[in-house]
Amino acid sequence: MSAKRHVARSYFADTVWDAAERRCLQRRLLRWFGGAARDLPWRRSRDPYAVWISEIMLQQTQVATVIPYFERFLRQFPDIATLAAAPESLVLRHWEGLGYYRRARQLHEAAKRLVGQHGGQFPRDVNQVRALPGIGRYTAGAILSIACDARLPILEANTVRLLSRLAGSREDPHTTAGQQRLWQMAESLLPNKNCGAFNKALMELGSLVCTPRQPRCDECPLRPHCRAFAARLQEQIPLAKTKPAVEDLRQAALVIRRGGRVLLWQWQPGERWAGLWDFPRLPSAAKPSQADLAALNDPLTARTGLATSQLKPSATTKNSVTRFRISLDCSHAFAFRGRLARKRSDLRFVRLTELDEYPLSTTGRKISRMIAR
Ligand code: SF4
């Protein structure tokens, strides 16, 4: 039989490996994890609250980035009740720089629901957990298996890759059908106990050994069971996801001063940085200059009631947010006319010394540091 004939057509673990081989695979993986697991702060506790915070932070974010955020967050909000009682601005301030701020808002909302509906306790029932904002099948399975050893499967980027390779599956794992079959496979591979450790081990192996490019098959404890390795297809599996095209955006940020204060506005629900504060930021076609003040003033006036009359461009910063590559031209507006609409809680002149208390967008924080110098 040619090597490629080993490639599985079905993803049920019991059609790829017989029961004895599955038990062997489980034992090998758990043994490897016992010796190779990284000492990560969220692994020192089985408190579902701590596991939940870590799982939400780790979505779309690298482990090394998450560690200091996780430690600071748990110091500030050590339990569900403290998180629920905190103002949203404080939660966002502790999330600042992690990105994908919807995660923080949903976490906060879920904490309030846990206090209101579950007596401040994290439920053990998977349906109750999945009913919380921001928690899908993966997160519920990860929290309950890790914290309570519930027999629930997980599937995220690392395990999609690892399971696809183990089964030698050449189906696109990003389709609904492909995802369903991988979930079935994750479920049928679970041991009867130690499910939390098994799930963590799958993710760890995917992250450290079965990497997207050049997987380290020589060090892999599951190599004897891996159909992709047997068929020399590990570099072609899984099928790569088509990346959305990058879109370039140009924006202008205005530092509008009044005495020793600067104007901030708060992003509104439905906007990209909802809940965060920022220096007024407007779409612009080119670097702002005196000549095109009118183009900036129309949208600025519409939102704030103010218009600037003297502009001094300073720095340009670049950053990427999801599929957007944003060039942000910061300008100082030394004079303005008009007045802020009364009773607008989303517009404030703030002392430079108070900027640290506000949750700002990443570029907003850069600008605040620049003007504080
Ligand atoms: Fe991944 Fe290679 Fe291990 Fe297969 S043998 S699971 S491709 S690291």
Side-chain angles (χ1 to χ4, degrees), residues 311-322:
L311 212 57
K312 185 177 170 213
S314 60
T316 297
T317 66
K318 292 183 190 293
N319 75 322
S320 293
V321 179
T322 58

Side-chain angles (χ1 to χ4, degrees), residues 39-73:
D39 176 26
L40 300 172
W42 46 89
R43 289 190 177 157
R44 296 172 202 147
S45 163
R46 288 184 66 180
D47 174 3
Y49 173 69
V51 178
W52 173 38
I53 302 298
S54 69
E55 285 300 332
I56 300 294
M57 285 188 170
L58 286 163
Q59 291 168 8
Q60 323 268 0
T61 312
Q62 309 249 339
V63 165
T65 306
V66 166
I67 290 173
Y69 278 91
F70 174 81
E71 291 176 329
R72 274 197 302 269
F73 198 91

Side-chain angles (χ1 to χ4, degrees), residues 229-244:
F229 179 80
R232 299 289 181 265
L233 287 172
Q234 60 270 46
E235 293 280 2
Q236 284 100 64
I237 293 176
L239 283 183
K241 194 175 184 175
T242 319
K243 287 193 178 160

Side-chain angles (χ1 to χ4, degrees), residues 162 165-166 205 209-211 215-218 220-223 226-229 234:
L162 175 63
R165 286 174 177 165
L166 280 173
L205 190 69
V209 177
C210 195
T211 47
R216 291 148 63 180
C217 303
D218 290 349
C220 181
L222 302 188
R223 193 176 64 178
C226 180
R227 301 303 186 251
F229 179 80
Q234 60 270 46

Side-chain angles (χ1 to χ4, degrees), residues 153-170:
I154 51 135
L155 191 66
E156 40 68 80
N158 286 316
T159 40
V160 162
R161 183 173 61 253
L162 175 63
L163 295 180
S164 297
R165 286 174 177 165
L166 280 173
S169 159
R170 302 178 82 179

Side-chain angles (χ1 to χ4, degrees), residues 54-356:
S54 69
E55 285 300 332
I56 300 294
M57 285 188 170
L58 286 163
Q59 291 168 8
Q60 323 268 0
T61 312
Q62 309 249 339
V63 165
T65 306
V66 166
I67 290 173
Y69 278 91
F70 174 81
E71 291 176 329
R72 274 197 302 269
F73 198 91
L74 279 214
R75 270 199 302 277
Q76 179 71 38
F77 312 108
D79 50 44
I80 292 169
T82 312
L83 178 59
E88 187 185 270
S89 60
L90 189 62
V91 179
L92 289 172
R93 181 70 183 92
H94 280 75
W95 205 271
E96 190 186 298
L98 263 185
Y100 299 96
Y101 294 93
R102 189 157 174 254
R103 295 180 296 175
R105 291 193 298 274
Q106 289 182 323
L107 196 65
H108 190 218
E109 180 56 33
K112 288 195 255 184
R113 273 199 219 173
L114 289 174
V115 168
Q117 298 171 7
H118 298 279
Q121 300 299 310
F122 203 89
R124 279 11 185 205
D125 177 89
V126 67
N127 293 320
Q128 290 181 338
V129 174
R130 286 195 63 182
L132 294 168
I135 298 192
R137 185 175 181 185
Y138 160 73
T139 309
I143 298 169
L144 292 177
S145 66
I146 293 169
C148 316
D149 211 28
R151 195 172 184 279
L152 291 168
I154 51 135
L155 191 66
E156 40 68 80
N158 286 316
T159 40
V160 162
R161 183 173 61 253
L162 175 63
L163 295 180
S164 297
R165 286 174 177 165
L166 280 173
S169 159
R170 302 178 82 179
E171 184 176 21
D172 184 347
H174 309 104
T175 61
T176 306
Q179 286 277 312
Q180 273 172 359
R181 280 192 274 272
L182 285 170
W183 274 110
Q184 288 161 350
M185 181 174 167
E187 191 160 16
S188 53
L189 258 187
L190 276 174
N192 291 326
K193 53 184 187 180
N194 286 334
C195 294
F198 184 79
N199 282 340
K200 284 191 282 185
L202 284 175
M203 291 190 274
E204 194 81 331
L205 190 69
S207 171
L208 299 181
V209 177
C210 195
T211 47
R213 279 175 294 284
Q214 299 179 333
R216 291 148 63 180
C217 303
D218 290 349
E219 302 168 26
C220 181
L222 302 188
R223 193 176 64 178
H225 311 287
C226 180
R227 301 303 186 251
F229 179 80
R232 299 289 181 265
L233 287 172
Q234 60 270 46
E235 293 280 2
Q236 284 100 64
I237 293 176
L239 283 183
K241 194 175 184 175
T242 319
K243 287 193 178 160
V246 174
E247 206 176 309
D248 286 310
L249 288 182
R250 186 139 214 143
Q251 297 177 332
L254 298 179
V255 179
I256 301 175
R257 294 175 186 256
R258 187 176 74 187
R261 298 171 189 246
V262 287
L263 181 66
L264 294 185
W265 74 23
Q266 189 177 31
W267 292 103
Q268 297 303 294
E271 293 183 313
R272 185 173 291 135
W273 293 284
L276 295 183
W277 291 81
D278 215 338
F279 296 87
R281 184 198 285 236
L282 306 159
S284 76
K287 234 175 180 170
S289 68
Q290 286 301 126
D292 52 28
L293 257 182
L296 286 180
N297 272 336
D298 287 351
L300 179 68
T301 307
R303 178 130 178 189
T304 66
L306 304 182
T308 67
S309 51
Q310 279 179 35
L311 212 57
K312 185 177 170 213
S314 60
T316 297
T317 66
K318 292 183 190 293
N319 75 322
S320 293
V321 179
T322 58
R323 66 188 174 85
F324 298 102
R325 199 163 40 206
I326 303 176
S327 298
L328 184 70
D329 302 305
C330 176
S331 295
H332 295 263
F334 283 102
F336 65 86
R337 57 183 186 279
R339 60 174 52 207
L340 290 186
R342 280 174 183 268
K343 296 184 183 163
R344 285 281 299 273
S345 58
D346 60 331
L347 295 170
R348 274 180 212 170
F349 276 102
V350 172
R351 285 195 187 89
L352 295 186
T353 51
E354 293 170 340
L355 284 171
D356 204 37

